Amino acid sequence: MQAEALKGIIAYPVTPFLPDGSDLDEAAFRAVIAALLASEPAAIAILGSAGESAYLRDEEWQRGVEIGVEAVAGAVPLIVGIGELTTAAAVAKARFAEVAGADMLMVIPVSYWKLTDAEIVEHFAAIASATALPIMVYNNPATSGVDMNPALLVRLVREFATVRLVKESSGDINRMHAIRELSEGTIPFYNGANHLALEALAAGASGWCTAAPNLLGGEPGRLVDLMAAGDLEEARTLFYAMLPLLRFIVQGGLPTTVKAGLRLKGLEAGDPRKPLLPLSGEPLEQLRRLIG
């Protein structure tokens, strides 16, 4: 698979659990992935932030990878998220994902102690040497505790042959401008902040990494198509129509809000895993109104 060919929506499913929260709901997970495939994304990315990867036991994570490979079945590239405190754990997951049949990895370093640039580089060096899979380096300081500046992101892509793509989720459009400038437009970068989708695509983002298609179907993809066609007026109209829901699902936490939204739409994906709580009360009613 050519990583550079990924243009458009990279869609992120939630990870459903059984009603008692004890294990994955495999049938529901397959149904969620099937619904996302119907929105015609450029790729599916499982076990990211929306997929509650931080709350999965290792055996659940491994089974999630296997289900993802089976459910996507080569229809589009399958990206597997890896976010681990230790390099050894990240390497083990990278190797498992490759053997299981994943097409690409999305790697976010996670820290308790603040990581230096040298430590981050060594982390990616170990993962890149352990697998031949292409790697998307993922910057999301709000969830990971690690903030990789544009210069470091560009360095990682230039230094390691299999690190090819950048997902920028800091919420700062200037980071994307910097990646484009520092790489002279040679590194594909992807928007991971829903509220910046319009600006990011205008800035040259190759695509949009989002859980929004779970609730909005093909509309996020239509935004990408409109921007590619240069139809800014219609793209702007569509974006602002989606923006209230895009903001809501991020501010309320993706696992919580997307699972609630899927339930409202008739696709049961269970509740988020504790300590996360299911959406209720006025926030649930607000989501109901936003979905229409």
Side-chain angles (χ1 to χ4, degrees):
M1 179 198 66
Q2 292 296 314
E4 293 78 8
L6 282 183
K7 292 186 179 296
I9 295 295
I10 299 177
Y12 288 68
V14 293
T15 303
F17 301 109
L18 295 172
D20 64 0
S22 62
D23 207 344
L24 303 185
D25 185 333
E26 297 191 7
F29 196 20
R30 293 176 192 275
V32 168
I33 291 173
L36 280 183
L37 286 172
S39 70
E40 300 184 342
I44 296 284
I46 62 172
L47 307 177
S49 303
E52 296 179 76
S53 59
Y55 302 114
L56 299 179
R57 301 187 301 272
D58 284 349
E59 62 271 21
E60 290 177 321
W61 184 92
Q62 292 174 353
R63 184 59 185 146
V65 173
E66 292 170 342
I67 294 168
V69 170
E70 295 166 5
V72 173
V76 296
L78 177 70
I79 304 172
V80 173
I82 296 176
E84 291 292 334
L85 281 167
T86 69
T87 300
V91 165
K93 285 189 171 180
R95 287 173 172 157
F96 182 91
E98 182 172 27
V99 171
D103 297 299
M104 184 185 296
L105 305 175
M106 179 184 70
V107 177
I108 182 169
V110 179
S111 77
Y112 179 87
W113 296 107
K114 183 177 175 61
L115 300 179
T116 66
D117 284 3
E119 289 166 335
I120 293 169
V121 170
E122 285 298 314
H123 183 71
F124 277 91
I127 298 168
S129 66
T131 173
L133 290 180
I135 295 170
M136 169 184 281
V137 53
Y138 174 25
N139 185 52
N140 190 345
T143 58
S144 70
V146 177
D147 190 3
M148 294 177 283
N149 62 50
L152 177 57
L153 294 170
V154 170
R155 176 186 172 188
L156 290 170
V157 176
R158 286 178 169 166
E159 196 154 322
F160 305 110
T162 55
V163 180
R164 300 179 186 173
L165 315 174
V166 172
K167 176 184 175 184
E168 223 301 316
S169 299
S170 68
D172 182 356
I173 190 65
N174 291 308
R175 302 283 190 102
M176 298 185 211
H177 295 320
I179 292 166
R180 185 179 179 90
E181 291 174 328
L182 290 169
S183 71
E184 298 180 332
T186 61
I187 294 176
F189 64 91
Y190 297 77
N191 172 54
N194 279 339
H195 69 287
L196 290 182
L198 188 71
E199 296 166 89
L201 292 167
S206 294
W208 176 13
C209 298
T210 179
N214 287 281
L215 305 183
L216 289 169
E219 293 298 270
R222 191 161 75 88
L223 177 68
V224 174
D225 292 341
L226 288 170
M227 290 297 290
D231 192 342
L232 180 58
E233 188 60 36
E234 190 169 349
R236 187 185 293 121
T237 298
L238 175 60
F239 173 71
Y240 284 111
M242 293 190 294
L243 185 56
L245 179 59
L246 295 176
R247 284 178 173 151
F248 182 90
I249 62 175
V250 172
Q251 291 170 356
L254 290 173
T256 299
T257 57
V258 173
K259 285 185 171 182
L262 286 171
R263 179 174 286 153
L264 291 172
K265 291 172 67 68
L267 179 54
E268 182 56 56
D271 292 331
R273 178 163 275 175
K274 292 181 179 180
L276 300 180
L277 295 174
L279 203 66
S280 63
E282 176 52 29
L284 180 59
E285 293 309 308
Q286 184 180 354
L287 178 59
R288 192 190 307 275
R289 292 191 294 269
L290 287 170
I291 291 176

